[in-house]
Amino acid sequence: MELRRPIEEDADTLLAGSRDPLVREFMQGVFAHRDRASAVRWITEVAPGLWDADRAAHFAVLDGPGPAVGWAELTDLRADEGAAEVAVWLLPAARSLRVAASALRLVCRFGFEQLELQRIDAYAAADNMPVQVVGAFIGFRRAGFRPQLFRSSSTHTLHDAVYATVVPGELC
Ligand SMILES: CC(C)(COP(=O)(O)OP(=O)(O)OC[C@H]1O[C@@H](n2cnc3c(N)ncnc32)[C@H](O)[C@@H]1OP(=O)(O)O)[C@@H](O)C(=O)NCCC(=O)NCCS
């Protein structure tokens, strides 16, 4: 399991993920790329711009040789607070607790070790049990409930969210 900053070759993975029903249901603001060229532009222009502005760090998730199987990201980076928000998605064929937990652990470790964050937050739809299981598995503690916090990218309906957080000493 490995994370790398996205490269052009990851465009097909991004394209498929941005159109995946579960990703679109449970993640807010997911832009459904129209075609591969749009995904390439996002990878080569948008993601590096966000990274350079210290606003977000996006990674492709690799599980052995072959194309990337998902995405992991730190967004809403707040250097003054030493905090950020994390999210991860996997293509359906790669979904398993092992892969999801490794990807989430690696992106959190990057946040703590390279960005010197002191806390990483996650907001999961209350009805998105898999990601809550994955988060708890690597040390996220449930810290609150936020009614109607975010909108589905597909239906635009509001989801209640479970707020969870992890600090460096608790990541396992
Ligand atoms: C979030 C995501 C990466 C989790 O992936 P995953 O671990 O592969 O998901 P799984 O469906 O395998 O569920 C994880 C574990 O939780 C368990 N689980 C799932 N639903 C459960 C439930 N209702 N109660 C108890 N356990 C449950 C599963 O058994 C699984 O463990 P296993 O692999 O040992 O069987 C994946 O679901 C995804 O890409 N979702 C779309 C995007 C998304 O929601 N991202 C999160 C945004 S915060």
Side-chain angles (χ1 to χ4, degrees):
M1 167 65 52
E2 191 188 327
L3 302 184
R4 69 150 178 252
R5 284 185 68 172
I7 57 175
E8 199 167 325
E9 285 70 21
D10 300 321
D12 289 322
T13 299
L14 178 59
L15 181 62
S18 78
R19 295 167 163 187
D20 178 78
L22 220 53
V23 172
R24 298 188 58 68
E25 184 58 39
F26 287 134
M27 296 182 71
Q28 180 168 259
V30 175
F31 174 68
H33 291 280
R34 195 176 51 249
D35 51 26
R36 190 175 193 279
S38 163
V40 168
R41 263 196 311 281
W42 197 91
I43 286 171
T44 56
E45 294 170 23
V46 179
L50 292 169
W51 190 294
D52 292 345
D54 292 329
R55 288 182 50 202
H58 292 263
F59 296 93
V61 175
L62 304 172
D63 186 29
V69 297
W71 220 250
E73 57 198 42
L74 291 167
T75 58
D76 194 20
L77 286 170
R78 285 154 279 146
D80 50 335
E81 254 186 82
E85 189 177 328
V86 70
V88 63
W89 57 254
L90 297 174
L91 293 178
R95 286 178 189 155
S96 75
L97 183 59
R98 177 189 70 80
V99 177
S102 301
L104 193 57
R105 185 185 295 114
L106 283 175
V107 71
C108 290
R109 202 176 281 159
F110 177 89
F112 291 141
E113 293 176 2
Q114 305 298 319
L115 305 180
E116 300 181 349
L117 299 176
Q118 298 305 312
R119 188 185 91 232
I120 296 176
D121 302 324
Y123 297 89
D127 49 345
N128 187 0
M129 195 49 80
V131 77
Q132 295 176 52
V133 170
V134 172
F137 189 71
I138 67 158
F140 274 83
R141 269 183 303 112
R142 186 174 165 146
F145 183 78
R146 304 283 162 84
Q148 311 226 310
L149 184 75
F150 69 88
R151 272 185 203 284
S152 151
S153 298
S154 49
T155 59
H156 305 293
T157 52
L158 284 165
H159 280 288
D160 294 339
V162 171
Y163 162 52
T165 190
V166 68
V167 295
E170 291 177 355
L171 184 67
C172 53

